[in-house]
Amino acid sequence: MKDISEIYALRSRFKFLESIGEPIDRLKLIAEKDHPYFFNSLDQYQDNLLDDKENVLEPVKKFMSGSKRSIYENILLYLENNKANFDFINNESLDKLEKVAESPKPYKGNMIQEVKTVLEKIQNDVSILLQKEREIATEEVRLSKEKLSSFAEYSKLDIRKQEEVIAPFEKIINEIEQERFIGNIKTKTYYASTSIYQQQLELMMRLANPSKLE
């Protein structure tokens, strides 16, 4: 009862553990009986207890204390933390992960072991896509920065003012290097090549031609 109750307490995280609620209730009823009951009424409970043990409780205990639990947790965490990237990868592979995450009996058979390979492939695919997107985005931001620095007005500025003009582009490049989501990289890149570019262009013109504003 103690071991299985501690496992059951984790059901808010592992939804499939709800399935051991009924076996636990049956165990509780028997645990409250005086010891003569176990000798006099064996035929009333032994079949249910054995079924619970063999079909649910022991498989669940083994699952929760073994390596399959770690794989399962990795699947849950990956699905929770990477939703924003899922529009850019194979939906069929994702369906396999979600099927395991939502399974009422992930501890049965080789389901977890088989999907481990799927998880590793998805992680690798997303990693490759992220790196490619970062490279594309960094190049686009760099070109916007170079476009600004090619103006005659830019060369009129001292180093401090030149740095002021291009600093936002450097900031965006650093953010892109740290960004975990493909969609966010695309958004930052578009923002840098439109809004930031226009904003810094106007700043550069003001800094290079202060007399025109007087």
Side-chain angles (χ1 to χ4, degrees):
M1 271 299 302
K2 181 177 182 295
D3 291 344
I4 206 68
S5 293
E6 288 175 355
I7 292 173
Y8 188 56
L10 302 173
R11 64 191 181 281
S12 62
R13 175 60 176 156
F14 303 101
K15 302 299 183 184
F16 72 90
L17 291 177
E18 291 288 353
S19 65
I20 66 174
E22 287 187 20
I24 285 179
D25 287 341
R26 285 191 282 270
L27 274 179
K28 282 181 179 177
L29 287 174
I30 294 170
E32 293 168 357
K33 302 293 184 182
D34 293 327
H35 71 273
Y37 175 84
F38 298 100
F39 299 98
N40 299 328
S41 306
L42 181 64
D43 59 336
Q44 295 180 25
Y45 65 81
Q46 65 172 345
D47 289 342
N48 285 338
L49 281 187
L50 286 172
D51 287 344
D52 287 344
K53 179 182 178 182
E54 293 173 6
N55 298 327
V56 182
L57 299 181
E58 282 302 320
V60 165
K61 283 175 65 178
K62 184 177 180 182
F63 178 89
M64 293 299 288
S65 63
S67 59
K68 288 183 178 180
R69 172 180 171 173
S70 297
I71 299 170
Y72 184 75
E73 284 188 282
N74 287 339
I75 291 170
L76 294 182
L77 285 171
Y78 195 76
L79 289 173
E80 290 166 1
N81 297 333
N82 292 275
K83 289 180 181 178
N85 286 326
F86 291 163
D87 288 339
F88 303 93
I89 61 176
N90 187 328
N91 285 335
E92 185 178 337
S93 296
L94 278 175
D95 288 344
K96 293 179 180 177
L97 290 189
E98 288 170 351
K99 183 179 178 182
V100 170
E102 295 168 4
S103 171
K105 297 179 180 180
Y107 50 86
K108 289 285 188 180
N110 297 318
M111 182 188 302
I112 293 293
Q113 204 61 42
E114 289 170 0
V115 86
K116 179 185 177 185
T117 304
V118 176
L119 174 62
E120 290 169 351
K121 184 178 186 307
I122 290 175
Q123 289 173 322
N124 185 60
D125 289 348
V126 169
S127 178
I128 291 171
L129 284 173
L130 270 171
Q131 187 55 38
K132 286 182 179 178
E133 197 63 41
R134 287 191 187 110
E135 290 171 1
I136 293 169
T138 299
E139 180 63 13
E140 286 189 31
V141 176
R142 186 186 65 78
L143 288 174
S144 293
K145 183 180 72 171
E146 286 187 357
K147 186 177 177 182
L148 265 187
S149 62
S150 69
F151 279 81
E153 285 80 1
Y154 183 82
S155 61
K156 294 179 183 179
L157 304 177
D158 59 36
I159 292 178
R160 184 184 62 79
K161 290 179 179 178
Q162 286 179 348
E163 290 177 350
E164 184 180 352
V165 169
I166 64 171
F169 297 100
E170 299 291 348
K171 181 175 182 290
I172 287 288
I173 288 174
N174 288 333
E175 289 176 1
I176 286 170
E177 286 300 316
Q178 302 300 319
E179 181 56 59
R180 294 173 47 240
F181 301 123
I182 294 169
N184 288 351
I185 292 175
K186 292 180 180 293
T187 299
K188 289 176 186 292
T189 306
Y190 178 77
Y191 178 61
S193 61
T194 54
S195 299
I196 289 181
Y197 179 83
Q198 186 61 35
Q199 171 187 304
Q200 296 309 106
L201 174 62
E202 293 171 3
L203 172 64
M204 180 179 68
M205 293 303 180
R206 291 198 304 272
L207 292 174
N209 304 287
S211 60
K212 292 183 179 180
L213 300 176
E214 295 176 355

